Amino acid sequence: DVKVTQSSRYLVKRTGEKVFLECVQDMDHENMFWYRQDPGLGLRLIYFSYDVKMKEKGDIPEGYSVSREKKERFSLILESASTNQTSMYLCASSPRLTEAFFGQGTRLTVV
Amino acid sequence: QKEVEQNSGPLSVPEGAIASLNCTYSDRGSQSFFWYRQYSGKSPELIMFIYSNGDKEDGRFTAQLNKASQYVSLLIRDSQPSDSATYLCAVRGNNNDMRFGAGTRLTVKP
């Protein structure tokens, strides 16, 4: 079974903190993705990576950065957390052009 | 900006009926198309994928793709209360991105 593991299920951070969300996959997938999900807005693509050290901006990259130093790990970084970044964050991985497999999600609250 | 649009819903059908879910996409270079189901509080899980024009059937589910019209749909036959969930359309572009629609909430009433 494909396993995509996100480091935290729930996280509470203060405004202005630097926040790291970690995602690890065990299937040697080339592609990894970070999304946020808000009610009525579906999954919005923040960043994706198609190879180690390679990254592409999605539709809402502002306020976020990513790191992919190893193939199995893709980190999302909130440089200075703000209340409008309170959301559910979903990580996914996939082989090229095929289905994506999701982690369990991290519900982040910024206070 | 690449867009994926779904009929907003919510959609309510009686048990045993056919549920029809629709999706359009803006990027003509899109390569592959997916339908995911998401139960409340859970992560999305794959139901169907389709790569070529036409219909693809898997049990009670049929996905339809029309690349000329940039349209993909999902039919659920003999709908069951357990099918009640949010259905997400996803589209992969030729640069390996994957974008989702906002989802359609389906309720199947016993």
Side-chain angles (χ1 to χ4, degrees), chain A residues 98-109:
Chain A
T98 63
E99 66 179 287
F101 297 87
F102 284 86
Q104 77 276 30
T106 297
R107 184 166 293 282
L108 172 67
T109 303

Side-chain angles (χ1 to χ4, degrees), chain B residues 45-66:
Chain B
E45 55 182 354
L46 182 74
I47 301 173
M48 295 276 298
F49 62 87
I50 186 166
Y51 300 151
S52 305
N53 278 330
D55 294 358
K56 180 181 179 183
E57 188 174 316
D58 183 2
R60 296 186 295 112
F61 299 94
T62 299
Q64 299 173 316
L65 174 63
N66 183 326

Side-chain angles (χ1 to χ4, degrees), chain A residues 1-3 25-30 71-72 93 95 101:
Chain A
D1 274 358
V2 175
K3 191 148 182 155
Q25 50 101 356
D26 66 355
M27 284 301 292
D28 203 36
H29 287 165
E30 295 93 340
K71 193 173 187 179
E72 67 269 20
S93 75
F101 297 87

Side-chain angles (χ1 to χ4, degrees), chain A residues 10-29:
Chain A
Y10 300 94
L11 212 51
V12 180
K13 295 292 182 181
R14 295 194 178 278
T15 300
E17 274 194 81
K18 190 168 186 176
V19 181
F20 293 85
L21 302 183
E22 307 286 348
C23 177
V24 177
Q25 50 101 356
D26 66 355
M27 284 301 292
D28 203 36
H29 287 165

Side-chain angles (χ1 to χ4, degrees), chain A residues 64-87:
Chain A
Y64 303 95
S65 62
V66 290
S67 171
R68 194 168 181 201
E69 296 297 317
K70 293 186 178 180
K71 193 173 187 179
E72 67 269 20
R73 186 181 296 271
F74 192 35
S75 303
L76 180 69
I77 303 153
L78 286 66
E79 298 291 342
S80 177
S82 64
T83 54
N84 63 11
Q85 292 178 310
T86 291
S87 187

Side-chain angles (χ1 to χ4, degrees), chain A residues 31 35 37 94 97-98 100 103, chain B residues 32 36 38 43 92 98-99:
Chain A
N31 304 142
Y35 299 90
Q37 186 170 31
S94 81
L97 293 179
T98 63
Chain B
S32 44
Y36 282 80
Q38 186 176 27
S43 295
R92 289 204 76 160
M98 188 168 194
R99 286 175 165 81

